Amino acid sequence: METKQLGNTGVYVSTIGLGAMPMSLSNRPPESQSINVIQRALELGVTFIDTADSYCRDETDKHHNERLIHKALQSYNGDTSNVMVATKGGLMRPNGSWTRNGNPNHLRETIRISFEALGGNKPIDLWQYHAPDPDYTIEESLTPVKEAVTAGIIRFVGVSNFSVEQIKRARDVVDIVSVQNQYNPWQRQPEFDGVLEYCETEGLTFLPWSPFGGSRRHENLQDIPAIAQLAKTKGVSVYSIVLAWLLAKSPCILPIPGASKISSIEDSVRAVDLQLSEQEVQIIDRETAS
């Protein structure tokens, strides 16, 4: 597995990560299956796993995904010392819905619980503020995060669903190493709102969430002619083509495709060896331009 540096940290992780969210939502697979998926990812060289305190069914189930990942790492026979788990905080799951909560007291508490859920014996590798809450300033919400870094509870900090201006404000409070915004063939906003360019210029890692368009749209990738044709020509899946397309878009991009089946993560990892020409990338760009 190829690696790339996380931000300017000097720490290198796998070029493709594992998005663990599908293992903890309402239609989650059996726990044993999820653990097998995580451990298979490790066998394939994946050393970056993305999670969140809100990857769960509802508020009564909070931090489920973090605990699941910790269990999989603890029971893995191989070396996990270089595995980085990136979690998030700032979203709530009342009755299974998604709402924002940037209350500093809430964030302080959820960071503590995430720390414990992930084992409690080393700092959280990467903690990301899941989405800015308009009821609180970015400075207010990130104050407890800075405190946690100082206290040795968090190692690195990232932000998610942030604009360039919001990223700049966050960096005035605490060092930021990554940005996680939506980016896929249907949602190419990071190319046009300046976020991707800013990450490249500033040496931040860009983590595209929902790279295949999410559970509702991923099957529609087959309907994009350029992607379907390239997949057929190269003898790979449309998902591998999309991951290769993302990797070709910028050296700062680290895709984190979700998986709840071993076959899914095996397929995603194959994209590392798939090179798209500039012309092939441009063909996909033209067909997915909004």
Side-chain angles (χ1 to χ4, degrees):
M1 169 68 76
E2 294 178 11
T3 60
K4 60 175 57 182
Q5 186 176 194
L6 178 71
N8 291 317
T9 64
V11 176
Y12 285 77
V13 294
S14 53
T15 298
I16 287 182
L18 169 65
M21 183 174 74
M23 304 178 198
S24 289
L25 301 186
S26 57
N27 57 344
R28 67 178 59 153
E31 182 180 277
S32 59
Q33 179 179 321
S34 294
I35 289 175
N36 287 338
V37 171
I38 295 168
Q39 294 182 345
R40 179 57 179 149
L42 299 176
E43 290 172 358
L44 293 167
V46 173
T47 58
F48 188 89
I49 303 175
D50 183 74
T51 182
D53 64 354
S54 56
Y55 292 170
C56 56
R57 288 187 175 126
D58 54 39
E59 279 299 305
T60 65
D61 191 44
K62 206 75 174 279
H63 300 274
H64 175 274
N65 202 242
E66 294 170 331
R67 295 188 177 100
L68 174 69
I69 291 167
H70 177 63
K71 189 171 183 178
L73 292 176
Q74 286 293 102
S75 58
Y76 183 61
N77 290 327
D79 180 21
T80 59
S81 60
N82 64 337
V83 175
M84 175 168 285
V85 178
T87 193
K88 308 178 205 72
L91 291 188
M92 308 294 283
R93 300 301 312 282
N95 301 313
S97 62
W98 301 82
T99 61
R100 302 185 183 200
N101 187 349
N103 183 307
N105 292 328
H106 163 70
L107 294 177
R108 190 173 288 111
E109 177 69 2
T110 199
I111 287 169
R112 182 188 65 79
I113 300 173
S114 289
F115 173 72
E116 294 171 354
L118 291 169
N121 56 2
K122 70 180 184 74
I124 295 170
D125 297 315
L126 173 63
W127 188 92
Q128 305 155 92
Y129 184 24
H130 212 145
D133 182 348
D135 290 339
Y136 300 90
T137 66
I138 288 170
E139 292 76 11
E140 287 173 322
S141 296
L142 289 180
T143 294
V145 182
K146 184 178 181 180
E147 293 170 0
V149 172
T150 302
I153 296 173
I154 292 173
R155 186 179 183 189
F156 300 122
V157 179
V159 292
S160 182
N161 303 300
F162 267 50
S163 67
V164 171
E165 186 57 38
Q166 290 169 328
I167 299 167
K168 290 178 179 177
R169 287 176 60 185
R171 295 179 77 192
D172 285 338
V173 180
V174 64
D175 188 33
I176 300 297
V177 305
S178 64
V179 177
Q180 183 171 161
N181 287 3
Q182 187 177 20
Y183 189 28
N184 57 54
W186 294 284
Q187 172 53 266
R188 292 172 54 194
Q189 191 66 20
E191 292 178 40
F192 312 117
D193 62 12
V195 171
L196 194 55
E197 182 182 7
Y198 181 81
C199 288
E200 286 183 5
T201 304
E202 297 296 313
L204 306 180
T205 293
F206 183 90
L207 304 164
W209 65 262
S210 195
F212 302 140
S215 59
R216 296 176 184 174
R217 296 192 84 168
H218 72 92
E219 293 181 354
N220 297 338
L221 287 170
Q222 192 67 44
D223 299 331
I224 300 175
I227 293 175
Q229 184 58 49
L230 279 170
K232 183 178 180 181
T233 301
K234 296 178 183 293
V236 297
S237 71
V238 290
Y239 306 109
S240 288
I241 294 295
V242 170
L243 294 177
W245 171 73
L246 286 168
L247 288 169
K249 296 295 283 186
S250 170
C252 74
I253 289 178
L254 196 166
I256 45 173
S260 58
K261 298 176 182 177
I262 285 178
S263 59
S264 297
I265 189 60
E266 289 178 338
D267 182 65
S268 292
V269 167
R270 292 190 189 103
V272 173
D273 301 318
L274 186 60
Q275 299 289 328
L276 296 185
S277 69
E278 188 175 334
Q279 183 181 14
E280 289 168 337
V281 171
Q282 289 174 353
I283 292 171
I284 294 174
D285 284 353
R286 284 197 296 270
E287 285 196 4
T288 59
S290 54

